[in-house]
Amino acid sequence: MTFLTPTIRIPVVKALKWRPGLPAILPSWFFIGSVIILIAVIIIVTVKDLNRGRDIEIQTLLEKSTVLIRAFESGTRTGMGMRWRHDQRQTLLEEMAYQPGILYIAITDTSGRILAHSDPDKVGAQLYTPQEMRDLHVAQTEQWRITPFADEQDKHQSAFEVYRFFKPLKRMAGHRMHMGSKRPDTYWSDDIEDEDQDRNVIFTAFDTSTLEASQAKDIRNTLIFLSILGLLALASILSLFWAKRYQRSSRQLQDSKAFSSEIISNLPIGLITTNEHRQISVVNHTAEEILGHSAIGLSGRNIKQALPDSWNQLAGSEHNHQPVIEREIDYTLTSGQTIPLSISVANIVNNNGNFLGNVFIFRDMREVRQLQEEVRRKEKMAAIGNLAAGVAHEIRNPLSSIKGFAKYFEGRSEQGSEEQELAKVMAKEVDRLNRVITELLELVRPTDLRIQRVNICDVIEHSLHLIRQDAEAKHINILFKAEPGLPLVDIDPDRFTQALLNLYLNAIQAIGNNGTVEVHLSTNAASELQIIVKDSGKGIPADDLTNIFNPYFTTKASGTGLGLTVVQKVVEEHQGKIGVTSQLSIGTRFELTIPMKHSPSTQEASDHGHP
């Protein structure tokens, strides 16, 4: 893949002298912003003044209502002491409600039924429903709200309504009653006598036309003021029109720089550019990740100091430099790790042919190398399968004899005896070994897995049972820890047992004598099954760690080099993955991760007759 043309030409010489993060200074926009902020402040202050005037009007109405309620309570207490008749107290209520601006005065019980009203015809009716009364949350102190109101002509308007519990008897508490009476006189209706007077509610409603007229006047004056202010702001903005046109070219340049910056920052490949003095000017995010250096640490430095010598050699001279396309080199990170890179280098020149700098484009080749290694591994497996096909029958013949002798001893042993059980295990293991050998001899061909839903703990315990005798003979402790409540998993128990046995045997051979083999079973954050096999052996050298899954790679004198290859193939057949970490003199840790449910592949589905 080719990244560069022979020469990169920049139409504007100063384009590469731009540095990200330097905003353009535009006095006109600064002025417009100041005007907008000033207008916003004035609007906020005006709105606050409007609200303050409204609050004063509401406070005035609330105080009038409070005085009216208390005056009526005082008159009621006086009438009780003087034993007024019903018509006298009704007259008091009507006279108080007859004052200008008062719409009505009413007393209700907690269910909203009217006990007394400035309009006598409404006594006994419902002022509000019980649910509406509960929503009011009546308290001992005055509360207010603005509510719709329909007068006698059915003209709809708003009412400023104040309400609280009605307490006409509170002032008489603790005083002797007049005339030796046992209780003060009641209200002017039998209904009020039967009610709990401490739970009655008094309502007063004032006409809000004055409040609305005052607020409308304030809003009208405010709109006029804001309109004048808007015209002044518009005139200021129009006065800057020619200045903005003068700055248009500068703004377009800034947009181009921002556009270029976004493209460079989001490129999936590393990019570094220099200026005419060979100083690094631009480093994108991908380059930071690949090289392990920050853009701040590289910017402004000469490439001879900041980049390896091999890169400087590729950059060449300013004159007659031929671009370098897709050159593979090794780069050493600060951690000491060496990674492969594919790098392309070219000069940057303007329309006049003047040298402006270099551009380095590179990408990490580790993933490509891994894919190449995977292809080679598959080819090796295919070679193993072709080689093994010629000796398959030579291996199966001895296994058939062993199985025959196992069946013979099984038949000659007593029913349920240990000898019979051992013979059954021997026959079963011969069958499994025969199948494993067959599949090992055909590594390149898909394996017909016999997926079953099993308890993975039982599979692991069975596999550990098979090597426990060898481990005890070498004084090696076997520890098995499983996360509680693990669900059943879809695996081929025979194939998976073979993979686990290969790991156990490698661990025992790595330990030698006196050590520990640990098996941990759990689920990870992706709800996948995670099996960790850890030993306290001598460990694997770093140079060998990348080759342990290759066929025929072994450090043992008697090893075949196929054990871990089989393990990897079994894990991949179960749609999982395997990883390994090792430290010399400390031990090795294999981590197997497989999904809980096996999803049939396209080949498996066709083999079973599914579309």
Side-chain angles (χ1 to χ4, degrees), residues 576-593:
K577 56 185 178 180
I578 182 171
V580 58
T581 56
S582 184
Q583 290 180 309
L584 294 177
S585 303
I586 295 179
T588 304
R589 180 181 185 271
F590 285 90
E591 182 176 317
L592 286 66
T593 304

PDB file of all heavy atoms in Angstrom, residues 576-593:
ATOM      1  N   GLY A 576     -12.709 -20.408  22.096  1.00  0.00           N
ATOM      2  CA  GLY A 576     -12.060 -19.687  23.179  1.00  0.00           C
ATOM      3  C   GLY A 576     -10.669 -19.241  22.798  1.00  0.00           C
ATOM      4  O   GLY A 576     -10.272 -19.268  21.632  1.00  0.00           O
ATOM      5  N   LYS A 577      -9.916 -18.820  23.780  1.00  0.00           N
ATOM      6  CA  LYS A 577      -8.539 -18.382  23.568  1.00  0.00           C
ATOM      7  C   LYS A 577      -7.703 -18.780  24.779  1.00  0.00           C
ATOM      8  O   LYS A 577      -8.229 -19.014  25.870  1.00  0.00           O
ATOM      9  CB  LYS A 577      -8.481 -16.870  23.352  1.00  0.00           C
ATOM     10  CG  LYS A 577      -9.095 -16.049  24.480  1.00  0.00           C
ATOM     11  CD  LYS A 577      -9.101 -14.583  24.131  1.00  0.00           C
ATOM     12  CE  LYS A 577      -9.760 -13.769  25.255  1.00  0.00           C
ATOM     13  NZ  LYS A 577      -9.791 -12.313  24.945  1.00  0.00           N
ATOM     14  N   ILE A 578      -6.390 -18.862  24.559  1.00  0.00           N
ATOM     15  CA  ILE A 578      -5.474 -19.280  25.610  1.00  0.00           C
ATOM     16  C   ILE A 578      -4.331 -18.275  25.677  1.00  0.00           C
ATOM     17  O   ILE A 578      -3.855 -17.778  24.654  1.00  0.00           O
ATOM     18  CB  ILE A 578      -4.938 -20.710  25.343  1.00  0.00           C
ATOM     19  CG1 ILE A 578      -4.006 -21.148  26.494  1.00  0.00           C
ATOM     20  CG2 ILE A 578      -4.252 -20.806  23.999  1.00  0.00           C
ATOM     21  CD1 ILE A 578      -3.614 -22.618  26.400  1.00  0.00           C
ATOM     22  N   GLY A 579      -3.929 -17.939  26.890  1.00  0.00           N
ATOM     23  CA  GLY A 579      -2.810 -17.039  27.103  1.00  0.00           C
ATOM     24  C   GLY A 579      -1.862 -17.634  28.125  1.00  0.00           C
ATOM     25  O   GLY A 579      -2.232 -18.497  28.920  1.00  0.00           O
ATOM     26  N   VAL A 580      -0.607 -17.172  28.099  1.00  0.00           N
ATOM     27  CA  VAL A 580       0.398 -17.723  29.005  1.00  0.00           C
ATOM     28  C   VAL A 580       1.315 -16.607  29.477  1.00  0.00           C
ATOM     29  O   VAL A 580       1.667 -15.704  28.716  1.00  0.00           O
ATOM     30  CB  VAL A 580       1.208 -18.839  28.299  1.00  0.00           C
ATOM     31  CG1 VAL A 580       1.877 -18.328  27.043  1.00  0.00           C
ATOM     32  CG2 VAL A 580       2.241 -19.425  29.258  1.00  0.00           C
ATOM     33  N   THR A 581       1.656 -16.648  30.751  1.00  0.00           N
ATOM     34  CA  THR A 581       2.672 -15.776  31.339  1.00  0.00           C
ATOM     35  C   THR A 581       3.584 -16.656  32.181  1.00  0.00           C
ATOM     36  O   THR A 581       3.145 -17.646  32.783  1.00  0.00           O
ATOM     37  CB  THR A 581       2.050 -14.687  32.220  1.00  0.00           C
ATOM     38  OG1 THR A 581       1.236 -15.300  33.237  1.00  0.00           O
ATOM     39  CG2 THR A 581       1.196 -13.730  31.397  1.00  0.00           C
ATOM     40  N   SER A 582       4.861 -16.289  32.232  1.00  0.00           N
ATOM     41  CA  SER A 582       5.822 -17.128  32.948  1.00  0.00           C
ATOM     42  C   SER A 582       6.964 -16.266  33.468  1.00  0.00           C
ATOM     43  O   SER A 582       7.342 -15.249  32.851  1.00  0.00           O
ATOM     44  CB  SER A 582       6.358 -18.228  32.030  1.00  0.00           C
ATOM     45  OG  SER A 582       7.220 -19.090  32.740  1.00  0.00           O
ATOM     46  N   GLN A 583       7.478 -16.659  34.627  1.00  0.00           N
ATOM     47  CA  GLN A 583       8.647 -16.027  35.225  1.00  0.00           C
ATOM     48  C   GLN A 583       9.614 -17.119  35.648  1.00  0.00           C
ATOM     49  O   GLN A 583       9.209 -18.102  36.296  1.00  0.00           O
ATOM     50  CB  GLN A 583       8.257 -15.167  36.432  1.00  0.00           C
ATOM     51  CG  GLN A 583       7.479 -13.912  36.069  1.00  0.00           C
ATOM     52  CD  GLN A 583       7.125 -13.105  37.299  1.00  0.00           C
ATOM     53  OE1 GLN A 583       6.581 -13.626  38.270  1.00  0.00           O
ATOM     54  NE2 GLN A 583       7.453 -11.827  37.260  1.00  0.00           N
ATOM     55  N   LEU A 584      10.854 -16.937  35.298  1.00  0.00           N
ATOM     56  CA  LEU A 584      11.866 -17.933  35.641  1.00  0.00           C
ATOM     57  C   LEU A 584      11.979 -18.091  37.158  1.00  0.00           C
ATOM     58  O   LEU A 584      11.963 -17.108  37.902  1.00  0.00           O
ATOM     59  CB  LEU A 584      13.222 -17.534  35.049  1.00  0.00           C
ATOM     60  CG  LEU A 584      13.316 -17.543  33.509  1.00  0.00           C
ATOM     61  CD1 LEU A 584      14.691 -17.067  33.058  1.00  0.00           C
ATOM     62  CD2 LEU A 584      13.027 -18.931  32.961  1.00  0.00           C
ATOM     63  N   SER A 585      12.060 -19.361  37.591  1.00  0.00           N
ATOM     64  CA  SER A 585      12.205 -19.737  39.011  1.00  0.00           C
ATOM     65  C   SER A 585      10.948 -19.459  39.828  1.00  0.00           C
ATOM     66  O   SER A 585      10.945 -19.688  41.039  1.00  0.00           O
ATOM     67  CB  SER A 585      13.400 -19.026  39.655  1.00  0.00           C
ATOM     68  OG  SER A 585      14.588 -19.306  38.944  1.00  0.00           O
ATOM     69  N   ILE A 586       9.887 -18.944  39.208  1.00  0.00           N
ATOM     70  CA  ILE A 586       8.634 -18.679  39.936  1.00  0.00           C
ATOM     71  C   ILE A 586       7.513 -19.584  39.443  1.00  0.00           C
ATOM     72  O   ILE A 586       6.786 -20.179  40.232  1.00  0.00           O
ATOM     73  CB  ILE A 586       8.231 -17.197  39.801  1.00  0.00           C
ATOM     74  CG1 ILE A 586       9.271 -16.316  40.499  1.00  0.00           C
ATOM     75  CG2 ILE A 586       6.847 -16.955  40.397  1.00  0.00           C
ATOM     76  CD1 ILE A 586       8.987 -14.844  40.393  1.00  0.00           C
ATOM     77  N   GLY A 587       7.371 -19.729  38.144  1.00  0.00           N
ATOM     78  CA  GLY A 587       6.347 -20.620  37.617  1.00  0.00           C
ATOM     79  C   GLY A 587       5.684 -20.087  36.376  1.00  0.00           C
ATOM     80  O   GLY A 587       6.014 -19.010  35.871  1.00  0.00           O
ATOM     81  N   THR A 588       4.721 -20.866  35.882  1.00  0.00           N
ATOM     82  CA  THR A 588       4.009 -20.548  34.643  1.00  0.00           C
ATOM     83  C   THR A 588       2.517 -20.553  34.909  1.00  0.00           C
ATOM     84  O   THR A 588       2.014 -21.358  35.713  1.00  0.00           O
ATOM     85  CB  THR A 588       4.360 -21.557  33.542  1.00  0.00           C
ATOM     86  OG1 THR A 588       5.783 -21.567  33.361  1.00  0.00           O
ATOM     87  CG2 THR A 588       3.690 -21.194  32.225  1.00  0.00           C
ATOM     88  N   ARG A 589       1.811 -19.675  34.190  1.00  0.00           N
ATOM     89  CA  ARG A 589       0.363 -19.522  34.375  1.00  0.00           C
ATOM     90  C   ARG A 589      -0.323 -19.543  33.008  1.00  0.00           C
ATOM     91  O   ARG A 589      -0.067 -18.703  32.165  1.00  0.00           O
ATOM     92  CB  ARG A 589       0.073 -18.200  35.086  1.00  0.00           C
ATOM     93  CG  ARG A 589      -1.396 -17.901  35.349  1.00  0.00           C
ATOM     94  CD  ARG A 589      -1.479 -16.544  36.038  1.00  0.00           C
ATOM     95  NE  ARG A 589      -2.833 -16.211  36.432  1.00  0.00           N
ATOM     96  CZ  ARG A 589      -3.714 -15.575  35.679  1.00  0.00           C
ATOM     97  NH1 ARG A 589      -3.368 -15.224  34.437  1.00  0.00           N
ATOM     98  NH2 ARG A 589      -4.924 -15.281  36.131  1.00  0.00           N
ATOM     99  N   PHE A 590      -1.159 -20.577  32.785  1.00  0.00           N
ATOM    100  CA  PHE A 590      -1.965 -20.673  31.568  1.00  0.00           C
ATOM    101  C   PHE A 590      -3.393 -20.240  31.900  1.00  0.00           C
ATOM    102  O   PHE A 590      -3.954 -20.664  32.923  1.00  0.00           O
ATOM    103  CB  PHE A 590      -1.978 -22.104  31.029  1.00  0.00           C
ATOM    104  CG  PHE A 590      -0.703 -22.502  30.346  1.00  0.00           C
ATOM    105  CD1 PHE A 590       0.336 -23.082  31.066  1.00  0.00           C
ATOM    106  CD2 PHE A 590      -0.520 -22.290  28.990  1.00  0.00           C
ATOM    107  CE1 PHE A 590       1.516 -23.445  30.458  1.00  0.00           C
ATOM    108  CE2 PHE A 590       0.657 -22.648  28.366  1.00  0.00           C
ATOM    109  CZ  PHE A 590       1.680 -23.229  29.100  1.00  0.00           C
ATOM    110  N   GLU A 591      -3.967 -19.423  31.030  1.00  0.00           N
ATOM    111  CA  GLU A 591      -5.331 -18.938  31.228  1.00  0.00           C
ATOM    112  C   GLU A 591      -6.178 -19.308  30.013  1.00  0.00           C
ATOM    113  O   GLU A 591      -5.912 -18.854  28.902  1.00  0.00           O
ATOM    114  CB  GLU A 591      -5.337 -17.423  31.435  1.00  0.00           C
ATOM    115  CG  GLU A 591      -6.722 -16.864  31.690  1.00  0.00           C
ATOM    116  CD  GLU A 591      -6.692 -15.371  31.982  1.00  0.00           C
ATOM    117  OE1 GLU A 591      -5.795 -14.937  32.747  1.00  0.00           O
ATOM    118  OE2 GLU A 591      -7.550 -14.645  31.446  1.00  0.00           O
ATOM    119  N   LEU A 592      -7.193 -20.131  30.234  1.00  0.00           N
ATOM    120  CA  LEU A 592      -8.100 -20.572  29.179  1.00  0.00           C
ATOM    121  C   LEU A 592      -9.432 -19.851  29.356  1.00  0.00           C
ATOM    122  O   LEU A 592      -9.995 -19.857  30.464  1.00  0.00           O
ATOM    123  CB  LEU A 592      -8.326 -22.087  29.226  1.00  0.00           C
ATOM    124  CG  LEU A 592      -7.199 -23.019  28.746  1.00  0.00           C
ATOM    125  CD1 LEU A 592      -5.988 -22.932  29.661  1.00  0.00           C
ATOM    126  CD2 LEU A 592      -7.700 -24.451  28.687  1.00  0.00           C
ATOM    127  N   THR A 593      -9.946 -19.261  28.296  1.00  0.00           N
ATOM    128  CA  THR A 593     -11.224 -18.552  28.338  1.00  0.00           C
ATOM    129  C   THR A 593     -12.108 -19.083  27.225  1.00  0.00           C
ATOM    130  O   THR A 593     -11.735 -19.027  26.052  1.00  0.00           O
ATOM    131  CB  THR A 593     -11.018 -17.039  28.164  1.00  0.00           C
ATOM    132  OG1 THR A 593     -10.109 -16.568  29.159  1.00  0.00           O
ATOM    133  CG2 THR A 593     -12.335 -16.298  28.307  1.00  0.00           C
TER     134      THR A 593
END
